[in-house]
Amino acid sequence: MREIDFSQAQKEGKGFQFPGEFEITAIGNANAGLDKQVPALLLAIGVEVLHETLSTKLTPAGNYQSVTVTFVAVTREKYLEAHSTLRADENIRFTM
């Protein structure tokens, strides 16, 4: 999987600003309880999760579920860690 290119972020007014609120979506197995697992994984790495923003959606066949939530990353490293932590989980196929 390709890493996010932050080279344009160094230009004034471009890219992500830290600290900041970011939305993340994890897609994985529908029976894995991702609605609870995704926030728990993010909290475990020390990022603030805005629980009121959590939303879920099942695929039409019901095999996969997407979970979207907003979190606060104080640094670019924490943002990247959030994605890599979720991707490392066996029940999560990918993140956006």
Side-chain angles (χ1 to χ4, degrees), residues 18-38:
F18 295 94
E21 293 180 2
F22 302 93
E23 187 175 88
I24 192 167
T25 299
I27 299 172
N29 298 329
N31 298 326
L34 295 180
D35 58 326
K36 291 181 178 44
Q37 190 173 0
V38 168

Side-chain angles (χ1 to χ4, degrees), residues 7-76:
S7 62
Q8 294 297 316
Q10 295 177 1
K11 295 181 180 177
E12 190 173 324
K14 299 281 184 181
F16 297 134
Q17 300 295 314
F18 295 94
E21 293 180 2
F22 302 93
E23 187 175 88
I24 192 167
T25 299
I27 299 172
N29 298 329
N31 298 326
L34 295 180
D35 58 326
K36 291 181 178 44
Q37 190 173 0
V38 168
L41 289 168
L42 294 173
L43 287 169
I45 63 167
V47 297
E48 179 185 355
V49 176
L50 305 177
H51 294 277
E52 67 276 8
T53 65
L54 188 128
S55 65
T56 64
K57 185 175 181 180
L58 284 173
T59 58
N63 296 327
Y64 295 98
Q65 179 182 38
S66 68
V67 175
T68 302
V69 68
T70 301
F71 69 100
V72 178
V74 295
T75 63
R76 179 177 295 138

